[in-house]
């Protein structure tokens, strides 16, 4: 930051209940939270300016909980999508559903969509050697959580899969509470994908397993 009141960011949220449903409206003015731009003159990655508006709702559906979120990301440093060095504006939508499948077993599914604005302009401005982003990126998720042994053992599976990128990310975890003060953990993170430039595929070599012990006192 080098300019007071120019390098600031502002976020607002209005929320309330409509019957048994929760609803909210969101607004944000600031910058992309990751370096989604590149300064060709200096060779530096930059954080382009960003304005977001969105809404969400959450409530009971068929014995479970459903949720819907949508937002528009206005990339203000590339309003017409003609700058290949700055991320385009985009729409984002998330739909989810969660319910108890059996005693001590909970499952949830989600569908997530990113749709790039001005995609044709983006393609025409992209250097020939650069991999192109899809017009629409789809991601589906599945989460399963199981409690056992008087709820002292927690098993979890969380998988992300993108049919558009043909990649994914699988998280496996287990936590066993041996006493009120001692617990042990074992889990793993598996990234997979066909290409090394996609969202999850680029981390394929970062797949890992882990173990841990936590003591509270």
């Amino acid at each position: 930051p080098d300019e007071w009141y120019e390098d600031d960011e502002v976020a607002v949220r209005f929320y309330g209940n409509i019957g048994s449903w929760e609803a909210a409206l969101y607004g944000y003015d600031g910058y992309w939270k990751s370096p989604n731009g590149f300064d060709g003159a200096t060779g530096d990655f930059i954080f382009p300016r960003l304005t977001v508006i969105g809404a969400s709702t959450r409530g009971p559906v068929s014995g479970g909980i459903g949720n819907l979120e949508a937002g528009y990301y206005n990339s203000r440093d590339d309003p017409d999508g003609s700058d290949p060095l700055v991320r385009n504006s985009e729409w984002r939508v998330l739909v989810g559903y969660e319910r108890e499948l059996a005693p001590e077993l909970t499952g949830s599914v989600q569908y997530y969509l990113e749709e790039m604005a001005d995609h044709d302009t983006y393609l025409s401005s992209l250097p020939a050697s650069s991999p192109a982003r899809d017009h629409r990126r789809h991601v589906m998720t599945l989460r399963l959580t199981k409690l056992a042994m008087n709820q002292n053992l927690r098993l979890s599976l969380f998988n992300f899969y993108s049919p558009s990128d043909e990649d994914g990310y699988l998280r496996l975890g287990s936590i066993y509470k041996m006493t009120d003060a001692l617990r042990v953990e074992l889990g793993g993170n598996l990234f997979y994908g066909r290409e090394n430039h996609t969202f999850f595929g680029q981390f394929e070599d970062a797949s890992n397993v882990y173990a841990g012990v936590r003591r509270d006192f």
Side-chain angles (χ1 to χ4, degrees):
D2 56 13
E3 295 291 340
W4 282 91
Y5 307 113
E6 292 186 14
D7 291 334
D8 60 338
E9 58 180 0
V10 178
V12 295
R13 175 175 180 253
F14 301 95
Y15 62 94
N17 293 328
I18 304 175
S20 58
W21 284 75
E22 303 170 1
L25 297 174
Y26 305 88
Y28 171 77
D29 185 74
Y31 298 83
W32 289 93
K33 292 300 184 178
S34 56
N36 283 307
F38 184 76
D39 188 330
T42 64
D44 294 331
F45 287 96
I46 59 174
F47 294 80
R49 293 178 298 169
L50 175 68
T51 299
V52 182
I53 56 173
S56 68
T57 185
R58 185 173 186 268
V61 178
S62 301
I65 301 293
N67 65 281
L68 171 65
E69 302 177 25
Y72 179 67
Y73 284 57
N74 180 18
S75 189
R76 288 158 48 214
D77 287 341
D78 188 19
D80 57 2
S82 60
D83 186 349
L85 302 180
V86 175
R87 185 161 178 161
N88 278 35
S89 301
E90 59 192 36
W91 289 94
R92 297 187 182 186
V93 178
L94 176 68
V95 182
Y97 181 68
E98 177 180 356
R99 68 171 298 167
E100 186 177 50
L101 303 176
E104 309 289 6
L105 175 63
T106 302
S108 67
V109 291
Q110 290 188 135
Y111 168 71
Y112 172 69
L113 169 68
E114 290 179 1
E115 179 170 317
M116 181 190 296
D118 304 304
H119 188 256
D120 290 341
T121 304
Y122 160 78
L123 290 178
S124 63
S125 64
L126 195 67
S129 59
S130 299
R133 291 178 56 203
D134 292 330
H135 186 192
R136 298 177 181 89
R137 177 173 178 259
H138 308 268
V139 180
M140 296 178 291
T141 66
L142 168 68
R143 182 199 294 267
L144 297 173
T145 304
K146 172 68 175 176
L147 300 177
M149 303 176 66
N150 295 320
Q151 298 188 349
N152 289 319
L153 176 63
R154 179 187 178 94
L155 304 173
S156 64
L157 176 152
F158 197 175
N159 186 61
F160 301 81
Y161 175 69
S162 172
S164 52
D165 288 346
E166 297 185 351
D167 65 356
Y169 170 31
L170 174 64
R171 293 168 50 185
L172 298 170
S174 61
I175 301 175
Y176 179 59
K177 185 179 179 181
M178 302 182 69
T179 68
D180 288 341
L182 182 65
R183 72 181 190 184
V184 295
E185 301 182 29
L186 178 65
N189 298 279
L190 173 64
F191 297 91
Y192 54 94
R194 294 185 58 185
E195 306 289 343
N196 60 10
H197 62 80
T198 57
F199 189 86
F200 296 119
Q202 63 183 316
F203 300 114
E204 189 169 8
D205 292 339
S207 298
N208 61 82
V209 295
Y210 66 88
V213 178
R214 175 168 177 167
R215 168 84 181 193
D216 296 324
F217 56 90

